[in-house]
Amino acid sequence: MVTPPKPVPSTAAVWPVAAPKPASPPRQEGHTVLTTMLLTTVPALLAVAVLRPGSHTYRRNR
């Protein structure tokens, strides 16, 4: 009779804990994404509203 092999005790895997990174100070260089979007879309929307064919605002100011 053949005896079954004894199970090998398994050890739990230990993962190294990453050290928390310190929070960096806020950047003061350049514009934020929101500011850039507003600076590009607002003038474009105003130009489209004034220069569209049905608007008499452009001809009134001339």
Side-chain angles (χ1 to χ4, degrees), residues 6-60:
K6 294 182 180 178
V8 178
S10 62
T11 58
V14 178
W15 297 97
V17 178
K21 295 181 181 179
S24 61
R27 295 185 310 152
Q28 295 297 329
E29 54 192 65
H31 296 291
T32 62
V33 175
L34 180 63
T35 306
T36 305
M37 286 176 53
L38 288 175
L39 287 174
T40 55
T41 55
V42 170
L45 290 175
L46 291 175
V48 167
V50 169
L51 297 177
R52 67 182 184 172
S55 173
H56 297 288
T57 306
Y58 179 70
R59 291 183 201 88
R60 189 180 313 141

